[in-house]
Structures are given as structure tokens and as C-alpha cells.
Amino acid sequence: MDRQDELETRIEVLKKDRKAVILAHNYQIPEVQDLADFCGDSLELARKAKESDAEVIVFCGVHFMAETAAILSPDKTVLLPDEDAGCPMADMATAADLARLKDEHPGAAVVCYVNSTAEVKARSDVCCTSSNAVEVVSRFDGSREVIFVPDRYLGAHVERETGRKLILWPGYCPTHARLSSDQIADARSRYPGAPVIVHPESRADVCLAADEVRSTGGMVKFAREAGVKRIVVGTETGLLHRLKKENPGVEFIPLSDGAVCPNMKLITPEKIMWALEDMEPRITVDPEIARKALVAVERMLQGPVMGVS
Ligand code: 13P
Ligand code: SF4
């Protein structure tokens, strides 16, 4: 038995003992994706965290994702195998700064990308992910101002898709900000005919130069349905493992090998095993903040029908 098999066997035993489920984001390292019970994008993982009847959720992703799971399931123990796995974009918006912006725009609705702290969610009307941001913003009456926090590039994508002007926060994802339209031009000359798909956390010139702008879950669906032999993928490179595994007949080319989120790479099988052994590090949210944040997160999960105009 090699080291990975040994770890997997030990993790299986611990999982049963603890009544645990392992959820992994599409950007996790291949070994983590392969041992997870479920791999998905942010929205799919939030839904799984809410619906699971496990007592323990081992969240293989970054801090805000584990926090969202804790908000949705206060009765479950949520473990993040490496506490340092944060999201720099989530840390670009503080609740105090958002409160000041709200004061400057009384009556504005606040749509908050799920890549945010629980405190920011608690001050927002509704959350969204990259897969439903356009739909969530469209729920609000066109005459109402909308503050979109913290991703300026996802916000700009929503502006282009809806034709609305939003009040954008200046946050961004350092990993996706590395992608460029020059890389797309280069990929098009090297792989003529291959569709280029990019994540909406990318800058405007990148989104506009691409064929499709999709969340990681949307990219998985595109790869399954496109019926092409080669796809250029503009997002964090971890997604390529899942794409290749699910579509063995298709060649996937990363738009940039440099699109790596160091935080997403912090989780390893060893750390998952230690987390299950020690039941640490636990992610908890102050109950009062969690109560307010839950309203915004639940609205996101409820879908289009909700009274927030
Ligand atoms: P999605 O999986 O929702 O596309 O999100 C990407 C991301 O950056 C998560 O941190
Ligand atoms: Fe945050 Fe970007 Fe990493 Fe996603 S890929 S966790 S948005 S830094």
C-alpha cells in the first residue's frame, strides 16, 4: 500500500467514526479532489453543506467557504484542515467600510459575493456566487441602487450582462487578475478553433476576449456538453484535474500555468486526516453575526423567487 492509499484508508475509518463528509472545491489539489465525497463550485458546496446529514463537514477549500457552511449548519462541526487557507479578495472588504458606503447610499441594496467575511455577509441583503450573480442582481428593481461587494471584476461582468450600473467595490482575486487578453490571443494562434472559457473573476478585457464566461461549475458543464476536442481554460489550474478526469477524450489547456491560488493548495490528505483525528481546526461564527448572515445566504439559495425588490 502506498502513502496515498494508507491515508485514504485511515481517512475512511475516521470519516465513519466521526460521521463526517468531505467537501472539496474544484481548485483543490488532485489528491484531495479524489478522496472527497463531493467536488464542486462555491454554490454547489454551500448547498451540499446545508443538505448533508453528516455531523462533521471537512471543508477542503478556503476560510469563507467553511464559514458559509458553519452559517448554514450551526449544529454541525465544520473543520478547515488548514486554518491559514484564506481568500485575499474576501479580506479586501471590511464590515466597517461597507457600513460607510451604505451610509453614502441610503436605500441601496447590497449584493455580496460569497467570497467575503461573515461580518460583510451580515450587512448584506443577499449573497451570490459567480454562477448566479447575474440572476441575483436581476432580482432587484432597476430603479434601485445596488452595491456589489467585494469583486469589482465579477461586478463589472454583471453590469455587462444586465446593462445595469452597479456601485462596485475595488476588490479582486489576485489569481484571476493574472490572466490577460494577450494570453488569449496567444492561445488562439496556438490552438485555432479551441473555445476559450474564462472565470468572471477575470478582468474585463479577458472576459470580452473569451468565448464563454463561466463559474467553475459552469465550466464543468460546458466541457461535458460542448462536443469539442480541445478547450482553453482560464481559471485556477486545479480545475483541470476534474475536467480531464471527467472528459478523457478532450484536451484541456490552461490559459496560464501561473493561475494558481496558493491558499487553495494548502489542504493535503495528511491535514484532512489530522483534522479528523483532532477535530480541529474548527470554524465557528459569532451567533449574532451568523443569524444576520444566514438571511443573505438563504436568499441566495432560495433562487429567483424572493421579496427583495
Ligand atoms: P466558483 O467555484 O464559484 O466558480 O468560485 C471560484 C472561486 O474563486 C472560489 O474561490
Ligand atoms: Fe480567493 Fe481567488 Fe483564491 Fe478564489 S482563487 S480563493 S477568489 S484568491
Side-chain angles (χ1 to χ4, degrees):
M1 222 192 251
D2 69 12
R3 178 77 182 135
Q4 174 77 5
D5 289 341
E6 269 175 43
L7 282 167
E8 280 177 21
T9 309
R10 176 80 184 123
I11 288 168
E12 270 311 309
V13 172
L14 285 163
K15 239 173 55 179
K16 284 205 183 73
D17 287 355
R18 304 293 197 196
K19 298 189 175 55
V21 66
I22 300 178
L23 305 182
H25 188 265
N26 289 327
Y27 294 159
Q28 291 291 294
I29 63 170
E31 296 82 348
V32 170
Q33 291 191 29
D34 290 348
L35 63 75
D37 296 298
F38 182 80
C39 243
D41 70 12
S42 311
L43 188 61
E44 292 163 337
L45 293 173
R47 287 195 197 286
K48 280 280 168 195
K50 181 182 152 108
E51 288 158 12
S52 167
D53 52 14
E55 291 176 14
V56 175
I57 297 174
V58 183
F59 215 113
C60 304
V62 290
H63 193 272
F64 75 80
M65 295 179 176
E67 212 174 44
T68 304
I71 290 165
L72 282 164
S73 304
D75 50 328
K76 292 175 192 148
T77 300
V78 179
L79 304 173
L80 179 64
D82 189 319
E83 248 179 329
D84 291 333
C87 169
M89 168 156 58
D91 296 333
M92 289 176 192
T94 67
D97 286 341
L98 177 57
R100 270 191 288 278
L101 188 62
K102 285 174 75 171
D103 285 345
E104 287 167 24
H105 297 275
V110 180
V111 177
C112 147
Y113 190 25
V114 74
N115 299 34
S116 53
T117 63
E119 289 81 2
V120 165
K121 289 182 176 73
R123 288 183 186 265
S124 302
D125 293 289
V126 57
C127 286
C128 70
T129 72
S130 57
S131 64
N132 65 2
V134 171
E135 181 272 306
V136 168
V137 169
S138 304
R139 293 179 197 177
F140 293 94
D141 192 276
S143 60
R144 189 162 175 201
E145 278 193 307
V146 174
I147 295 171
F148 191 90
V149 61
D151 187 353
R152 71 167 97 159
Y153 296 126
L154 177 61
H157 169 71
V158 174
E159 287 189 328
R160 289 191 297 276
E161 291 294 308
T162 60
R164 293 181 65 150
K165 186 91 195 79
L166 307 176
I167 299 161
L168 298 179
W169 195 271
Y172 65 94
C173 163
T175 300
H176 286 89
R178 297 172 73 112
L179 300 175
S180 73
S181 49
D182 285 350
Q183 290 164 347
I184 296 188
D186 185 47
R188 288 204 191 281
S189 68
R190 286 214 269 163
Y191 310 103
V196 178
I197 58 177
V198 302
H199 197 276
E201 286 176 11
S202 309
R203 293 193 314 246
D205 60 320
V206 175
C207 292
L208 290 169
D211 298 300
E212 293 283 331
V213 181
R214 298 209 178 195
S215 68
T216 60
M219 289 179 178
V220 168
K221 193 162 180 286
F222 178 86
R224 213 178 279 147
E225 295 170 356
V228 294
K229 287 270 157 246
R230 198 183 247 175
I231 302 175
V232 178
V233 183
T235 193
E236 211 279 347
T237 54
L239 180 67
L240 272 83
H241 173 67
R242 178 162 175 202
L243 292 174
K244 286 177 186 168
K245 199 165 137 182
E246 291 185 9
N247 306 277
V250 183
E251 184 187 0
F252 294 96
I253 299 130
L255 181 59
S256 163
D257 287 321
V260 174
C261 173
N263 291 284
M264 283 285 183
K265 306 306 180 208
L266 288 175
I267 314 289
T268 61
E270 279 89 350
K271 290 179 191 171
I272 294 171
M273 183 183 72
W274 295 330
L276 280 165
E277 280 174 348
D278 303 342
M279 294 297 277
E280 292 285 350
R282 283 183 200 215
I283 302 302
T284 56
V285 182
D286 172 85
E288 190 50 24
I289 295 193
R291 191 183 59 75
K292 290 184 186 151
L294 181 62
V295 176
V297 177
E298 284 285 12
R299 281 177 173 164
M300 166 179 87
L301 297 180
Q302 272 159 21
V305 189
M306 59 178 236
V308 290
S309 65

